[in-house]
């Protein structure tokens, strides 16, 4: 099999616009909307989350109109908001219950990662495409074409497995701590654990991706050298 094609040159303008839209509509706007409605206007958590979910919907609509494709990152964000809204309605509404529910959301994300290992392409393939390309047709086609290489498929599946196991484990640990530690302590510790695990996974993913890419380049170089030696001997 031929070596993977090099990625096309990234469009700085397209990449910047895409990231501003993604972060603004999927992260910043939902958080600001939720906090404003719950803290300043007395809305319920469910109502605030429901309205906050309109922003990822808008992002998906913008991406469809701009690039003629559905953005999986926005869809996953929307699914998260829906899950959070549903979970917030279930059971008691004590402080401890809210902490447990918060843990259930990240746990469900971990289960989603693991479930996609049974799908044609795992979740990290779509997350990787979001972060590794600028969203232009050329860069998207390059990323999609990488799927034909076994090493790339293995890398995506391994990343998805690690993220899934990590978040399921993190959720179980936080749920256990919610029943052992004082609520005041968990209010501080819970976000530290969420973003701490995210940070560790982000660093590991970058390291693992570079390592696998280097291994693939080395194997290709060895194969090319062997082919050249065979041709010279013939």
């Amino acid at each position: 099999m031929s070596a993977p094609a090099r990625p096309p040159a990234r469009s700085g303008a397209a990449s910047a616009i895409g990231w501003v839209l993604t972060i603004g509509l999927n992260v910043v706007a939902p958080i600001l909307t939720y906090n404003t409605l719950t803290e300043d206007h007395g809305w319920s958590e469910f109502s605030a989350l429901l309205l906050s979910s309109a922003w990822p919907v808008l992002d998906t609509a913008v991406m469809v109109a701009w690039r003629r494709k559905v953005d999986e990152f926005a869809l996953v964000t929307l699914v998260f908001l829906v899950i959070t809204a549903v979970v917030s309605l279930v059971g008691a509404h004590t402080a401890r219950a809210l902490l447990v529910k918060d843990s259930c959301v990240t746990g469900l994300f971990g289960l989603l990662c693991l479930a996609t290992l049974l799908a044609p392409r795992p979740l990290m393939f779509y997350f990787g495409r979001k972060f590794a390309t600028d969203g232009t047709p050329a860069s998207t086609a390059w990323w999609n074409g990488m799927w034909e290489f076994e090493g790339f498929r293995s890398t995506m599946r391994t990343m998805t497995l690690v993220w899934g196991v990590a978040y399921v484990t993190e959720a179980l640990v936080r749920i256990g701590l919610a029943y052992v530690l004082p609520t005041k302590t968990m209010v501080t510790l819970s976000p530290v654990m969420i973003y701490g695990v995210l940070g560790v996974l982000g660093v590991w993913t970058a390291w693992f991706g570079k390592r696998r890419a280097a291994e693939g380049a080395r194997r290709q170089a060895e194969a090319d050298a062997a082919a050249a030696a065979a041709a010279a001997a013939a």
Side-chain angles (χ1 to χ4, degrees), residues 110-124 147 153-165:
L111 292 176
L112 175 63
C113 287
L114 298 177
T116 61
L117 291 172
L118 302 175
R121 298 184 184 186
L123 188 60
M124 285 302 119
W147 188 254
R153 296 194 298 270
S154 174
T155 297
M156 293 298 104
R157 291 190 176 109
T158 300
M159 287 180 176
T160 303
L161 175 63
V162 170
W163 277 68
V165 171

Side-chain angles (χ1 to χ4, degrees), residues 36-225:
T36 300
L37 293 177
T38 55
E39 296 175 6
D40 299 337
H41 298 284
W43 283 45
S44 67
E45 291 184 342
F46 176 75
S47 299
L49 284 168
L50 188 62
L51 187 60
S52 298
S53 67
W55 293 109
V57 173
L58 177 60
D59 182 44
T60 300
V62 170
M63 290 300 173
V64 169
W66 180 23
R67 291 173 175 163
R68 307 301 182 190
K69 69 173 185 176
V70 176
D71 187 277
E72 294 85 1
F73 187 88
L75 288 178
V76 171
T77 302
L78 178 60
V79 169
F80 256 114
L81 289 170
V82 171
I83 290 174
T84 303
V86 172
V87 169
S88 69
L89 291 177
V90 179
H93 290 78
T94 64
R96 174 170 288 137
L98 290 175
L99 288 170
V100 171
K101 292 174 183 179
D102 188 44
S103 302
C104 290
V105 173
T106 55
L108 287 172
F109 173 71
L111 292 176
L112 175 63
C113 287
L114 298 177
T116 61
L117 291 172
L118 302 175
R121 298 184 184 186
L123 188 60
M124 285 302 119
F125 170 84
Y126 300 103
F127 272 45
R129 188 169 67 187
K130 182 67 179 180
F131 288 94
T133 73
D134 57 14
T136 56
S139 63
T140 299
W142 162 74
W143 184 263
N144 292 341
M146 291 290 290
W147 188 254
E148 69 176 285
F149 300 100
E150 190 281 330
F152 180 81
R153 296 194 298 270
S154 174
T155 297
M156 293 298 104
R157 291 190 176 109
T158 300
M159 287 180 176
T160 303
L161 175 63
V162 170
W163 277 68
V165 171
Y167 267 113
V168 169
T169 303
E170 181 268 349
L172 292 174
V173 170
R174 273 202 297 142
I175 290 173
L177 291 177
Y179 287 98
V180 175
L181 299 177
T183 300
K184 183 177 181 180
T185 301
M186 280 304 299
V187 168
T188 301
L189 181 60
S190 186
V192 171
M193 291 182 65
I194 293 173
Y195 292 108
V197 170
L198 178 62
V200 170
L201 285 173
V203 171
W204 174 84
T205 299
W207 169 82
F208 185 70
K210 290 179 180 179
R211 176 187 172 188
R212 293 301 293 267
E215 290 175 353
R218 176 180 54 78
R219 287 194 297 268
Q220 185 62 43
E222 292 173 351
D224 292 342

